[in-house]
Amino acid sequence: MRVHKIASIPADGIGPEVISAGLEVLEALSRRIGGFRLEVEHFPWNSDYYLEHGHYIPPGGLERLKQFDAIFFGAVGSQKVPDDVSLWGLRLPIAQGFDQYANVRPARVLPGVKSPLHQGSAIDWIIVRENSEGEYAGNGGRVHRGLPTEVGTETAVFTRVGVERIHRFAFELARTRPRKRLTLVTKSNAQRFGMVLWDEIFFEVAKQYPDVQTDRELVDAVTTRMVLKPHTLDVIVGTNLHADILSDLAAALSGSLGIGPTANINPERNFPSMFEPIHGSAFDITGKGIANPIATFWTAAMMLEHLGEQEAARALMKAIEQVTASGIHTPDLGGSATTADVTRAVCERING
């Protein structure tokens, strides 16, 4: 029996609702498929914990997380805590501390889901986001606070090591896809140092992957291409900020932020990787029982793939697609189903 140790961090907003649903589905899978089980430990790190203790992650917390095979993460963010405090207090210390430099976000229109695009069926993308440096490196500061001369600086940091490894990851991923196509997204016409470095390294690495078709697009231009010519895109690689924004657009074009999954990968497996739905805390629907758990289920399938449980991952995606095709949709997809309804339906499909 294969045992996988999972750290569950539901955190804020709808996080506890969807992570609970995800764990229920994963438990059903392990019983049905057999051969593996998940050993889950729950961590209460969220914004209420921060307000009580003065920190999101207690001393030694990251060392504890290192003992796990994967991290199942909900969402961080609270109306009681400034967003920069919550993000830098919980998610980023894990992603950067565990060198989860490859953020992977697939996007496609699931059966039964309607895209706002008439060409929505052409959406079948994977967005690869550099996840450890760039615009979110945390380099900068503020001086002369409160004075008319106050200054805030935000310095994007791009290293050759960081850029080369994310490009190599993206090329390896593109190579596994039927179309074998990779689009580089930067803004090197206006940002002539870090972005030009991104371009140069991309085409250096491309020489080692002659089987992968490549092209380059400016970040503003690629947004129109995603809307008007979705069939021309396959795998997209971009910086921390650019790919963060583009992946939200990709999820919306696929039907809803409520179906978008994310994997924060440490490809070398020196540290556990972290898996989280794309949608965030969603304060407006917290506690109403209508959060869409599909993003979390798809995220769970990515976690299973990472753990080597390919059969279980395929079974979960099949169950997800059967449920979305059947029209059991939460309100974000135009339906009236609850989180529990969708969870129950997926479990029923898993159990046959």
Side-chain angles (χ1 to χ4, degrees), residues 7 9 65 69-73 94 98 100 272-275 303:
I9 309 178
L65 287 185
D69 299 309
I71 302 164
F72 201 29
F73 188 86
I94 297 173
F98 288 167
Q100 296 166 353
S273 294
M274 180 165 62
F275 301 83
M303 182 169 70

Side-chain angles (χ1 to χ4, degrees), residues 11-214:
D12 294 322
I14 62 172
E17 301 172 45
V18 295
I19 291 298
S20 174
L23 291 173
E24 184 178 340
V25 164
L26 286 167
E27 178 62 26
L29 265 174
S30 66
R31 290 196 304 266
R32 176 65 173 171
I33 301 298
F36 77 98
R37 67 180 176 88
L38 303 181
E39 195 173 275
V40 181
E41 183 174 340
H42 302 276
F43 290 81
W45 305 340
N46 60 18
S47 293
D48 287 338
Y49 184 92
Y50 165 79
L51 291 171
E52 181 179 351
H53 298 278
H55 50 244
Y56 280 87
I57 302 175
L62 289 181
E63 285 299 316
R64 285 184 65 194
L65 287 185
K66 284 182 184 178
Q67 313 305 314
F68 291 84
D69 299 309
I71 302 164
F72 201 29
F73 188 86
V76 65
S78 168
Q79 293 169 316
K80 303 174 186 176
V81 180
D83 288 340
D84 62 306
V85 173
S86 58
L87 186 67
W88 283 95
L90 185 55
R91 185 191 175 279
L92 287 180
I94 297 173
Q96 295 184 351
F98 288 167
D99 205 19
Q100 296 166 353
Y101 63 83
N103 178 283
V104 181
R105 295 186 172 184
R108 60 184 174 88
V109 180
L110 298 175
V113 174
K114 185 177 181 181
S115 167
L117 297 183
H118 73 276
Q119 304 179 69
S121 60
I123 295 175
D124 186 4
W125 308 324
I126 297 182
I127 297 178
V128 176
R129 165 187 168 193
E130 200 292 313
N131 204 37
S132 66
E133 53 179 40
E135 303 90 345
Y136 298 172
N139 192 15
R142 290 171 64 182
V143 296
H144 311 307
R145 285 176 179 256
L147 300 176
T149 55
E150 183 171 2
V151 176
T153 60
E154 199 78 51
T155 304
V157 176
F158 303 103
T159 65
R160 174 167 284 274
V161 169
V163 177
E164 181 174 343
R165 67 183 184 176
I166 196 63
H167 285 330
R168 196 171 301 282
F169 180 91
F171 272 101
E172 291 288 345
L173 178 59
R175 178 177 267 177
T176 67
R177 305 264 289 174
R179 295 172 60 197
K180 293 182 171 56
R181 178 166 189 154
L182 178 60
T183 298
L184 166 68
V185 173
T186 59
K187 188 60 178 170
S188 50
N189 59 342
Q191 296 175 292
R192 56 183 181 163
F193 302 115
M195 296 290 90
V196 171
L197 177 67
W198 259 71
D199 289 356
E200 291 175 354
I201 295 175
F202 179 86
F203 290 108
E204 289 173 12
V205 175
K207 294 175 183 177
Q208 302 168 39
Y209 296 87
D211 54 323
V212 177
Q213 183 182 356
T214 62

